[in-house]
Amino acid sequence: MDKVFAGYAARQAVLKASQNPYSHGIAWVKGSLVPLAEARIPLLDQGFLHSDLTYDVPSVWDGRFFRLDDHLDLLRLKLPLPREQLKQTVVEMVVKSGIRDAFVEVIITRGLKWTRDAPLEDMSNKLYMFVQSYIWTSGPEQQRDGGGRAVLARKVRRVPPGAIDPTITNLQWGDLMRGSGFNIVLVKDGRLYTPDRGVLEGVTRRSVMEAAKARGIEVRLEMVPVELAYTCDEIFMCTTAGGIMPITWLDGKPVNGGEVGPVTKAIWDAYWEMHYDDKYSFEINYTD
Amino acid sequence: MDKVFAGYAARQAVLKASQNPYSHGIAWVKGSLVPLAEARIPLLDQGFLHSDLTYDVPSVWDGRFFRLDDHLDLLRLKLPLPREQLKQTVVEMVVKSGIRDAFVEVIITRGLKWTRDAPLEDMSNKLYMFVQSYIWTSGPEQQRDGGGRAVLARKVRRVPPGAIDPTITNLQWGDLMRGSGFNIVLVKDGRLYTPDRGVLEGVTRRSVMEAAKARGIEVRLEMVPVELAYTCDEIFMCTTAGGIMPITWLDGKPVNGGEVGPVTKAIWDAYWEMHYDDKYSFEINYTD
């Protein structure tokens, strides 16, 4: 863990001192690159008026793009740009920003709402992209020591899979009471448990499964009852914005004695190693 | 019915011939009025990035604003403008557009997403408003003759009330398979039936209840089983964008012999009368 985070603070210090206006974030709108805070989208965009959009969040760590293609594969609306051009553009955005640890969001909306004046091309899918400094759902310090969470499934009713398909990334977060969503993985008797349905089948979840395979850890994809959260040995959350985040307290009670467990640590290490593996990531040339 | 629609075609013809750039729609963004097609909102607005917003749709009919205050009462996020100023502004927008039959949308978002550069005021609620020509979920011709609908509740799973509160207007429409949502009212033995929970408690539904009261028609607010749709005498939908819309065919079978029924007609007449009643609407002075 220390090794992965070692260079991060220094890179953040450089970013903070940067005079580059794009260092605070850069956005792509209708073919133009603009500082993120100045980016504007049409009010008539269906992505705003009806949240009719899909998105995904690839990331950059230590100057390397992580699983960009895998993230783009998840976008189920037609890309408004040729895929290679989109990839080149998003790399160019990262380079222009100078950000070496980045949260990258690619949004595709259904296009503009019909009005009697709108030209026909406005009805086609619209693309918005932005790059900003890496976001932590749970930061480096909390990841070292673990953290507490409550099992909301006991009292909060989520939107069921039959109403909105959870395998499609969307921004209709009305049922998420405490901020963003992420996958939960439970560890019991040395095995990982994650639901086989009803959850986002995202890239980070897949990375966890591949990290487990690389470490010889069995993964059980099956119906996971909420009860297992109370009887398992270890728990972690996973999402692009933070990676592998140990949960060491559940509803006020310690999990694994309140310590980050050995299986979570193994997955954590393997997950971050993938960020330096050419099979999963590529280096960005910032001197272009 | 003929009387209500009589002047509409003529007003539409005047609007269509207008050279006023705002006649195609006008929007209010950050204190400025702009043609609707040119209106832009910040990409970082949480209303776009997480559909974190509420909205409502008052309307203007024949130059009269219908139940503006009642619609504003439904907005459960704090108004970013003093209420009277907001009302004056939206009236001014209608006047500037010259539109005499208008669909008016007032949207309040949770403000901008936090970034390290954003000034604090950006975290406060943001207001967007627009006015465009009246929208028909079901148009005048269909209203005269009724129309066919399928009962989707049989096969489509909606987001349940426990997950997202349906009494709060939102634009998270991922579970609406065939376009916008509206309330359904069933008529059986001369009484109206509408669910007492799990539905939007909107202004049009309230207008229906008040119209019924004015005509001495009983309204039953209770749990309404889907089965009643198959055994009732009449069915209509109601929403601001269209008003009272008779359903005369259900799943391919006629309702009330495929004709608009007498109770629906009575509600229809009373609903549109309210648009000319000073108790529910006020005249807009277009000569300002």
Side-chain angles (χ1 to χ4, degrees):
Chain A
M1 194 171 268
D2 290 333
K3 190 179 143 226
V4 169
F5 291 145
Y8 176 67
R11 295 194 299 273
Q12 281 293 102
V14 171
L15 185 64
K16 206 173 170 186
S18 168
Q19 299 297 312
N20 175 357
Y22 293 132
S23 68
H24 298 272
I26 183 170
W28 184 97
V29 177
K30 233 183 163 179
S32 295
L33 296 176
V34 288
L36 177 55
E38 294 168 22
R40 298 285 181 276
I41 71 162
L43 186 155
L44 285 175
D45 195 301
Q46 293 279 19
F48 176 56
L49 289 182
H50 294 122
S51 201
D52 194 353
L53 57 80
T54 186
Y55 80 110
D56 217 281
V57 179
S59 63
V60 172
W61 184 259
D62 199 2
R64 298 179 65 95
F65 231 122
F66 186 58
R67 308 196 80 161
L68 176 55
D69 267 305
D70 295 327
H71 280 282
L72 296 181
D73 284 345
L74 288 185
L75 297 170
R76 297 206 212 156
L77 285 177
K78 187 174 181 292
L79 302 178
L81 279 188
R83 188 177 173 118
E84 282 309 311
Q85 191 185 336
L86 190 158
K87 284 167 63 179
Q88 281 171 29
T89 304
V90 79
V91 170
E92 181 194 345
M93 290 164 69
V94 174
V95 169
K96 270 206 187 339
S97 75
I99 301 173
R100 286 174 180 271
D101 308 281
F103 175 98
V104 178
E105 188 160 334
V106 178
I107 303 172
I108 301 175
T109 75
R110 196 78 67 169
L112 303 202
K113 187 178 171 221
W114 185 87
T115 63
R116 68 188 155 117
D117 318 297
L120 259 183
E121 74 258 27
D122 284 348
M123 305 297 113
S124 62
N125 295 351
K126 293 279 168 286
L127 171 71
Y128 305 102
M129 302 191 282
F130 65 92
V131 172
Q132 65 177 94
S133 190
Y134 191 85
I135 290 174
W136 299 93
T137 301
S138 171
E141 279 312 310
Q142 285 166 286
Q143 293 197 18
R144 195 182 313 266
D145 303 328
R149 294 282 163 167
V151 174
L152 291 172
R154 293 192 310 166
K155 19 187 178 174
V156 175
R157 185 157 185 202
R158 292 291 313 280
V159 171
I164 297 184
D165 184 349
T167 70
I168 298 172
T169 50
N170 68 74
L171 291 166
Q172 303 191 10
W173 289 13
D175 63 328
L176 296 171
M177 314 281 289
R178 303 210 178 165
S180 59
F182 26 76
N183 291 105
I184 302 286
V185 180
L186 306 179
V187 183
K188 177 76 176 175
D189 299 333
R191 295 184 196 94
L192 302 188
Y193 289 82
T194 177
D196 61 343
R197 68 194 72 177
V199 298
L200 173 68
E201 296 166 7
V203 174
T204 310
R205 178 170 169 276
R206 201 195 309 168
S207 294
V208 166
M209 293 194 274
E210 289 170 15
K213 197 175 174 191
R215 290 293 201 270
I217 297 168
E218 190 188 341
V219 180
R220 292 271 181 96
L221 271 176
E222 56 189 49
M223 209 280 287
V224 181
V226 173
E227 290 70 22
L228 188 61
Y230 294 98
T231 57
C232 65
D233 305 320
E234 305 174 32
I235 308 177
F236 61 87
M237 312 179 284
C238 63
T239 189
T240 291
I244 311 301
M245 295 167 286
I247 294 178
T248 50
W249 290 81
L250 185 70
D251 291 348
K253 290 186 183 132
V255 180
N256 191 48
E259 304 279 319
V260 178
V263 176
T264 302
K265 274 186 185 152
I267 299 294
W268 198 98
D269 287 341
Y271 174 78
W272 286 101
E273 273 171 24
M274 290 163 82
H275 286 70
Y276 293 91
D277 183 339
D278 289 340
K279 193 178 154 198
Y280 297 105
S281 62
F282 62 87
E283 191 165 3
I284 295 164
N285 183 358
Y286 284 84
T287 57
D288 271 356
Chain B
M1 190 169 272
D2 290 333
K3 189 178 142 225
V4 170
F5 291 145
Y8 177 66
R11 296 195 298 273
Q12 281 293 102
V14 170
L15 186 63
K16 206 172 170 187
S18 169
Q19 299 295 313
N20 174 357
Y22 294 132
S23 68
H24 298 272
I26 183 170
W28 183 97
V29 176
K30 234 183 162 177
S32 295
L33 296 177
V34 289
L36 177 54
E38 293 168 23
R40 297 285 180 276
I41 71 161
L43 187 152
L44 285 175
D45 195 300
Q46 293 279 20
F48 176 56
L49 289 182
H50 295 122
S51 200
D52 196 352
L53 57 80
T54 186
Y55 80 111
D56 218 282
V57 179
S59 62
V60 172
W61 184 258
D62 200 1
R64 297 177 68 95
F65 230 124
F66 186 57
R67 308 197 81 160
L68 176 56
D69 267 305
D70 294 326
H71 280 282
L72 296 180
D73 284 345
L74 288 184
L75 298 169
R76 295 207 212 155
L77 286 176
K78 188 174 180 296
L79 301 179
L81 280 188
R83 187 177 172 117
E84 283 307 312
Q85 190 184 336
L86 190 157
K87 284 167 63 180
Q88 281 171 28
T89 303
V90 80
V91 170
E92 182 195 344
M93 289 165 69
V94 174
V95 169
K96 268 206 187 338
S97 74
I99 300 174
R100 287 176 178 269
D101 307 282
F103 175 99
V104 178
E105 188 160 336
V106 178
I107 304 171
I108 301 174
T109 75
R110 196 77 69 168
L112 303 201
K113 189 179 170 218
W114 185 87
T115 63
R116 67 188 156 117
D117 317 300
L120 260 184
E121 74 259 24
D122 283 349
M123 306 294 112
S124 63
N125 294 352
K126 292 280 167 286
L127 171 71
Y128 306 103
M129 302 191 282
F130 65 92
V131 172
Q132 64 177 94
S133 189
Y134 191 85
I135 291 174
W136 299 93
T137 300
S138 171
E141 280 311 311
Q142 285 166 286
Q143 294 197 17
R144 193 184 313 266
D145 304 329
R149 294 281 165 168
V151 174
L152 291 171
R154 293 193 309 169
K155 22 190 177 172
V156 175
R157 186 158 181 198
R158 292 290 314 277
V159 170
I164 297 183
D165 185 350
T167 69
I168 298 171
T169 50
N170 68 74
L171 291 167
Q172 304 190 9
W173 289 13
D175 64 327
L176 296 173
M177 313 283 285
R178 304 214 178 159
S180 59
F182 27 74
N183 292 104
I184 301 286
V185 179
L186 306 180
V187 183
K188 175 78 175 172
D189 297 332
R191 294 184 196 95
L192 304 189
Y193 289 83
T194 176
D196 61 343
R197 68 194 72 176
V199 298
L200 174 67
E201 294 165 9
V203 175
T204 309
R205 178 170 168 274
R206 201 195 309 167
S207 294
V208 166
M209 293 193 277
E210 290 169 16
K213 198 176 173 192
R215 290 292 200 268
I217 297 168
E218 188 187 344
V219 180
R220 291 271 181 96
L221 271 175
E222 55 189 49
M223 210 280 287
V224 181
V226 172
E227 288 70 22
L228 188 60
Y230 295 99
T231 57
C232 66
D233 304 321
E234 304 176 32
I235 308 176
F236 61 87
M237 313 180 284
C238 63
T239 188
T240 291
I244 311 301
M245 296 167 285
I247 296 180
T248 49
W249 290 81
L250 186 71
D251 292 349
K253 287 183 187 135
V255 181
N256 190 48
E259 305 279 319
V260 178
V263 177
T264 302
K265 274 185 187 153
I267 298 295
W268 198 98
D269 287 341
Y271 175 78
W272 286 102
E273 272 171 25
M274 291 164 81
H275 287 69
Y276 293 92
D277 183 339
D278 289 340
K279 192 178 155 200
Y280 297 106
S281 61
F282 62 87
E283 190 165 3
I284 296 166
N285 182 357
Y286 286 84
T287 58
D288 268 357

